[in-house]
Amino acid sequence: MAMGVQARSSRSAKYGSSTMAIDVVKRCRVTAEFDLSGHDADESFGWDKAWAKSQVGDVLAKVASLQERLFAEQERAVLVVLQAIDGGGKDSTIRNVLSTVNVAGVDVHSFGVPSEEDRAHDYLWRVHQCTPSKGIIGVFNRSHYEDVLVVRVKRLAPDEVWRRRYRHIRDFEQLLTDEGTQVVKLFLNISKDEQRQRMQDRIDDPEKRWKFRKGDLDDRRLWDDYQQAFHEALSETSTADAPWYVVPANRKWVRNLVVAEILHHHLAAIDPQFPPVEEGIEGLVVE
Ligand code: AMP
Ligand code: MG
């Protein structure tokens, strides 16, 4: 027992500093030499589970205070794009990490199969309408990236059509950046075996069964094609202004802390400020 406590506290000393956060954010970031197959979905950065779980709360408290400033400032926005294979943990990440701050300042949108109206427009039309307004942290549960992922893998459009979309997407996200929205893109990386377990769990548990569709098995058979599509999409669209991160997601407690750290990193970099107050307010006494 005493040993366990000791081990934990020495780990906290080692990883509890901001150096650790910067290091993890950097390690997960998609850069020029990116190779998706080199990212281990089981990675835990040497963290202790109990420590990581308690650390998430501390990081999210800092996120909440930065979010309050972002909201008060009304000048900038953040857009978190979440992508993953089925069972990757998008919903759970939103529930446990991204929507734990003041709900008034968070705006979550899910993108499923495009409606008839969506399909009557270009593929970015439905997405652009949902980007966050100033002061807001927007979260996309799936996104415009489906138009270079499922559309490619299921051959819903010819190669030349989805291929040129990398360029559109880079330009679109640059527009958002230039106009004051920090775009942060997270790929929740689970292994094929972890997906098998999670799918089985969904089938076996009556409370989770509603999440499962038989078609998910067809997608699972296309695992390698999806990995290839993710690898290429992330390589083509991770930019200095709108980076992709590969989040190790087999262990939920690792995933949650990594996502919290990345969000904190970007909010801290934005450094939102409370707006100036009206002159003469300071020192006023309410009678
Ligand atoms: P879920 O996230 O489980 O509710 O599933 C949403 C489904 O919508 C997934 O199978 C996605 O691949 C699919 N989807 C999302 N966007 C598109 C798109 N642009 N084109 C075709 N299918 C899409
Ligand atoms: Mg699904």
Side-chain angles (χ1 to χ4, degrees), residues 86 142 211 213 216:
D86 283 318
R142 301 188 191 267
K211 284 194 186 181
R213 292 171 305 112
D216 293 349

Side-chain angles (χ1 to χ4, degrees), residues 76-285:
R76 274 87 56 85
V78 175
L79 171 60
V80 180
V81 171
L82 265 187
Q83 286 288 162
I85 212 95
D86 283 318
K90 298 186 295 297
D91 296 316
S92 149
T93 302
I94 292 170
R95 210 170 41 247
N96 293 299
V97 185
L98 299 170
S99 61
T100 56
V101 288
N102 181 359
V103 287
V106 179
D107 195 3
V108 181
H109 292 273
S110 298
F111 294 93
V113 178
S115 68
E116 202 175 321
E117 193 183 16
D118 294 335
R119 277 186 283 109
H121 294 82
D122 68 85
Y123 68 99
L124 289 174
W125 178 79
R126 67 170 179 164
V127 173
H128 205 167
Q129 296 174 64
C130 298
T131 53
S133 53
K134 289 176 176 161
I136 300 293
I137 298 177
V139 180
F140 282 179
N141 183 349
R142 301 188 191 267
S143 65
H144 43 298
Y145 282 94
E146 293 294 327
D147 293 283
V148 292
L149 294 165
V150 65
V151 166
R152 168 185 181 165
V153 172
K154 297 278 192 67
R155 301 183 197 285
L156 304 178
D159 287 8
E160 65 272 20
V161 170
W162 59 258
R163 203 168 275 289
R164 66 188 176 212
R165 290 179 176 169
Y166 295 140
R167 176 169 47 83
H168 303 157
I169 290 174
R170 283 193 299 266
D171 289 347
F172 170 60
E173 292 177 356
Q174 192 61 53
L175 172 146
L176 296 178
T177 304
D178 294 347
E179 294 290 320
T181 298
Q182 172 67 57
V183 183
V184 181
K185 303 173 288 193
L186 308 176
F187 171 60
L188 306 180
N189 187 30
I190 59 165
S191 62
K192 194 173 180 186
D193 194 53
E194 182 68 21
Q195 188 196 43
R196 184 189 58 71
Q197 288 177 40
R198 292 187 189 184
M199 278 190 170
Q200 193 63 57
D201 206 37
R202 282 184 179 180
I203 293 167
D204 295 346
D205 182 345
E207 302 217 337
K208 292 185 183 164
R209 209 167 285 155
W210 65 274
K211 284 194 186 181
F212 186 80
R213 292 171 305 112
K214 282 189 196 158
D216 293 349
L217 294 174
D218 299 332
D219 279 338
R220 177 167 167 76
R221 276 181 216 110
L222 296 168
W223 177 273
D224 291 341
D225 294 350
Y226 271 107
Q227 292 298 307
Q228 175 61 24
F230 273 113
H231 170 82
E232 201 175 295
L234 270 57
S235 308
E236 290 281 343
T237 60
S238 192
T239 63
D241 285 337
W244 268 108
Y245 293 91
V246 177
V247 177
N250 272 5
R251 302 168 209 240
K252 293 169 189 169
W253 51 272
V254 174
R255 175 199 74 195
N256 290 348
L257 181 52
V258 171
V259 170
E261 291 286 13
I262 293 170
L263 187 57
H264 175 256
H265 170 80
H266 282 284
L267 275 167
I270 291 172
D271 192 22
Q273 302 294 320
F274 288 118
V277 292
E278 251 178 84
E279 218 167 297
I281 288 187
E282 210 182 323
L284 269 187
V285 177

Side-chain angles (χ1 to χ4, degrees), residues 14-15 17-29 43 45-47 245 258 261-262 265:
K14 191 168 163 200
Y15 293 104
S17 68
S18 57
T19 318
M20 160 247 151
I22 290 165
D23 187 47
V24 165
V25 171
K26 223 161 107 184
R27 278 179 65 178
C28 295
R29 193 167 175 140
E43 178 66 71
F45 305 105
W47 295 339
Y245 293 91
V258 171
E261 291 286 13
I262 293 170
H265 170 80

